[in-house]
Each structure stands twice: as C-alpha cells, then as structure tokens.
Amino acid sequence: MKATPPRQAGLGIAELLVALGVGLGVLLGAGSLFVWASRAFAAQAETAAMDDAGRYALEAIARAVRQSAASDWEVSGAGPDPTAPAPLAGLDAHRVPHSGFGLDNATSAAVNGSDVLAVRFPGAGAPPNGDGSALDCAGFSVHRMEEGWSIFYVARNAQGEAELRCKYRGASAWSSDAVVGAVDGFQVLYGLDADADGAPERYLNASALDELDAGLALAGATAAEREQDLRRRTHWKQVASVRVALLLHGPASPLASAGAFVHELFGADYGALADDDDPGVRLREAELAGGAAPRYRKVFGTTIALPARAR
C-alpha cells in the first residue's frame, strides 16, 4: 500500500489571534518606550537650556555691575566727581517702561514682585577713538563724554511670557531687549559698607537704602544745594557688593509634592524675615503655577563685589 503524505495546514484562528496580540503588545511597548524617551530627552534639553540661561544672565548682570566702578581719569582727572549721581540705583517690586529716560515712570506692576537694578557708567568710545571697553547690557559701545546705562528688570513679552530685560540708551532713543526668558522672579540686595572698611555690614533692599537717605539732615539753603549734598552722602555710594537672585522655570515636574514647594531666592532665613517687607523673595509654586501643572524651577544667585573707587 502507498502511504498518504501529510497535508500542510495554516494557522488556526486561535493561533492567529495570539500572534496578533503578542505583536501588538510589542508594538505598544516599543511605542510607549519611544514616547517616554522623547519626553525625557525634551525635559533634559529644556533643563539644560534653563541652566545655561541662568548662568548667562548672572554673567551679564555681574559684568554690568562691575562696570559701575569704571572711571575715565583722562576726563575726570582726580577720579569720580563726589557730587555725581551714585553709579547704582534700584527699585523694589517695580517695572520700568520700554522707553523713557532711566527709571522715570516706573510702575508697581511688577512680575511676582521682581526688582529693578540700574547701573550707570562712563563711556570710553569705540575704536579707533576709544578702546571699546564701555559696553551697555545690549553690547553697544558707549562713547566718551557720554553716560551709559544698563537697567535690568522683568516684564512680559507679547506672548505673555516673563523675561529678564535690559534697558539701555541708544543713539537716538531708549530701548530694551530680552536677556533671557522663562524668568519667574528677580531680586536684588545691596551690601552696605557704612564704615568704609571694604566689607558690607549688612544687606538691604532698595527701599531700605532710600529710607536711610530720607533720614539724612541735608545741608544747603536751596533745593539744588541739598540735592548736591545728598549726592555726596547718599548711602547708595556706600554699597560694597550686590547680591542678585533669579528664579527660572523649566519643564513640568513629575514630583507629586512639587505643588507645595516654596522657592526662597535669598534663603529660608531671609525669606522668613522679610517675606512681608520684600515682596518676591519667597515665591510659592502653587501661586506660580496658577492651576497648571507644577514646573521644575531653579534659583540662580551670585554676589558681586565692587572696588572702593566705585564708591
């Protein structure tokens, strides 16, 4: 008898369904892994950009503050004029307009209680008539016999995002440019060196320095003479160092407890001491998020020392 060869059969419906289920599970797992990796990469890139922006902003502010110590000895001869305005000025919880002279028309519509820091410095001119060393915060050269300004403040752009801005005096008008974005707060403290030993005894905000100036008994029969005496004796010329702090935000935070965070721009001790008197030094995540998902935020801070000749 001749043997009958076995017949070949395809997959049954059960085997086909199992194979499809396994394949679909692998695809879903791979897709989920890809989405997770993409989100992690995007969050890491956004965090790295935040770190770069924070460091760049501190460097720009420090460079401007140190420039306040500059003096054109060829013009002034004996050094800075004691009756000239102080090279540093500031406002607490304020914002300055995009244009207009200096700190004029500043408003209290500050972003999260952010401060204003203004730096004045003499020009040096651009080559070949100058060395090009006197630059405002926008990178433009300030010519000799002119006064340069670098004013840092926080404002919202056309999209509603808060950013650290730099206001400067251009060739024909005042203007301002963004330094870095994603800024939630900007705070400044001034180290007062009342005994002129080169080291600050205490750090005060701009309002406290103005209160000390208001308590001075000024000499002079006229308002102009009293103003000149104030310029000689102002506490702003006794500032030996400047502390600045910036709060920047990055990607959404995965932590469940992130909504309860409190961001202390100058540390918990100062925040507890001055929370009511210095708005913006203590910012709460729940208020910053405003009902949205909490974000990863980081405080960037530095202390900038001034040489004695700047005072």
Side-chain angles (χ1 to χ4, degrees):
M1 295 179 64
K2 186 176 180 181
T4 303
R7 291 185 301 172
Q8 295 183 349
L11 292 176
I13 187 66
E15 291 89 345
L16 180 61
L17 290 176
V18 170
L20 289 175
V22 172
L24 182 60
V26 171
L27 288 176
L28 289 176
S32 300
L33 183 62
F34 177 76
V35 171
W36 177 86
S38 299
R39 290 178 178 175
F41 177 79
Q44 184 178 14
E46 193 173 350
T47 302
M50 179 190 66
D51 290 337
D52 291 341
R55 288 192 294 267
Y56 173 77
L58 292 183
E59 291 175 1
I61 296 171
R63 183 169 59 250
V65 170
R66 293 190 185 101
Q67 198 163 230
S68 68
S71 178
D72 192 339
W73 289 80
E74 295 181 4
V75 175
S76 59
D81 181 3
T83 62
L88 294 176
L91 297 170
D92 291 328
H94 272 71
R95 178 176 62 84
V96 295
H98 173 79
S99 59
F101 182 85
L103 302 178
D104 290 354
N105 301 317
T107 67
S108 59
V111 177
N112 300 323
S114 295
D115 296 342
V116 178
L117 171 63
V119 181
R120 306 164 77 140
F121 57 93
N129 299 322
D131 59 9
S133 61
L135 303 175
D136 58 29
C137 53
F140 295 117
S141 179
V142 180
H143 292 277
R144 179 166 288 175
M145 306 304 295
E146 293 181 357
E147 183 180 54
W149 286 73
S150 294
I151 304 175
F152 297 93
Y153 66 101
V154 177
R156 298 192 183 277
N157 58 22
Q159 291 72 40
E161 291 292 328
E163 56 190 15
L164 179 69
R165 301 191 66 85
C166 148
K167 183 178 179 180
Y168 59 93
R169 180 164 54 186
S172 58
W174 288 78
S175 186
S176 69
D177 293 327
V179 180
V180 295
V183 176
D184 296 310
F186 173 51
Q187 291 293 311
V188 188
L189 292 177
Y190 306 89
L192 185 65
D193 178 20
D195 58 7
D197 64 350
E201 291 82 42
R202 51 179 173 157
Y203 281 90
L204 304 172
N205 60 15
S207 299
L209 284 176
D210 289 338
E211 289 178 6
L212 291 177
D213 278 358
L216 293 174
L218 301 177
T222 65
E225 291 176 348
R226 289 190 292 272
E227 175 64 23
Q228 194 173 63
D229 189 46
L230 174 61
R231 290 184 176 184
R232 290 193 189 95
R233 301 168 55 195
T234 176
H235 291 81
W236 284 97
K237 289 187 176 180
Q238 299 176 15
V239 173
S241 61
V242 178
R243 290 184 63 188
V244 297
L246 284 161
L247 179 65
L248 273 67
H249 68 253
S253 175
L255 299 178
S257 60
F261 283 0
V262 177
H263 307 282
E264 306 279 3
L265 273 70
F266 288 126
D269 291 340
Y270 183 82
L273 180 66
D275 188 19
D276 296 330
D277 299 328
D278 197 354
V281 298
R282 172 179 280 181
L283 298 175
R284 294 161 177 82
E285 179 62 33
E287 298 175 1
L288 293 173
R295 302 181 73 96
Y296 175 62
R297 305 180 200 267
K298 185 175 180 179
V299 176
F300 297 84
T302 188
T303 300
I304 310 150
L306 292 172
R309 68 174 182 274
R311 300 171 263 139

